[in-house]
Amino acid sequence: MTLNENSGGLISKERAIKLVSAFDKKFPGEIVSSFIGSSNVESLLQQENCIGLRVYNGYDVGEQKLSLVIVGVGIDGEDLLEAGLIYDELVKCPDYCPKSSLLK
């Protein structure tokens, strides 16, 4: 598999519900979702030669919760770390959850 602007695939709502539900059963009490604003996503994607984003699983020792780290990926498939645009500090659910979603 090669990395390019079209990497990734759509899934059905039913598949999404199964995946999120299975995660919740395996990791009860863990963060359900994380939100990043469109301006921050655009900043990552506007980096020179950026073809997409990579999301790393992290762990916040202080909060004792999973955490996501998001970086841009260049045309060579490598993380774009030199520009300093690395995001974490996402808005997490819980506490900021959608009022009605089949995924939570």
Side-chain angles (χ1 to χ4, degrees), residues 9-21 101-104:
L10 293 172
I11 62 172
S12 69
K13 176 176 60 176
E14 292 76 21
R15 174 84 173 135
I17 291 169
K18 280 184 180 180
L19 290 170
V20 173
S21 178
S101 174
L102 297 174
L103 299 179
K104 67 170 191 156

Side-chain angles (χ1 to χ4, degrees), residues 23-24 27-35 60 63-68 90-95:
F23 180 88
D24 190 47
F27 303 102
E30 194 49 77
I31 290 169
V32 176
S33 65
S34 299
F35 173 85
D60 186 319
E63 287 188 26
Q64 296 187 2
K65 295 282 183 186
L66 294 176
S67 185
L68 299 177
L90 306 179
V91 181
K92 295 174 175 68
C93 167
D95 297 314

Side-chain angles (χ1 to χ4, degrees), residues 34-47 50 52-60 66-73 79-92:
S34 299
F35 173 85
I36 183 171
S38 61
S39 293
N40 292 333
V41 172
E42 288 174 11
S43 293
L44 284 166
L45 292 173
Q46 290 173 354
Q47 295 176 96
C50 185
L53 304 176
R54 183 170 283 128
V55 181
Y56 284 95
N57 294 317
Y59 187 77
D60 186 319
L66 294 176
S67 185
L68 299 177
V69 177
I70 305 173
V71 299
V73 176
D79 295 341
L80 297 173
L81 301 175
E82 299 307 315
L85 296 180
I86 304 169
Y87 285 91
D88 176 28
E89 304 301 320
L90 306 179
V91 181
K92 295 174 175 68

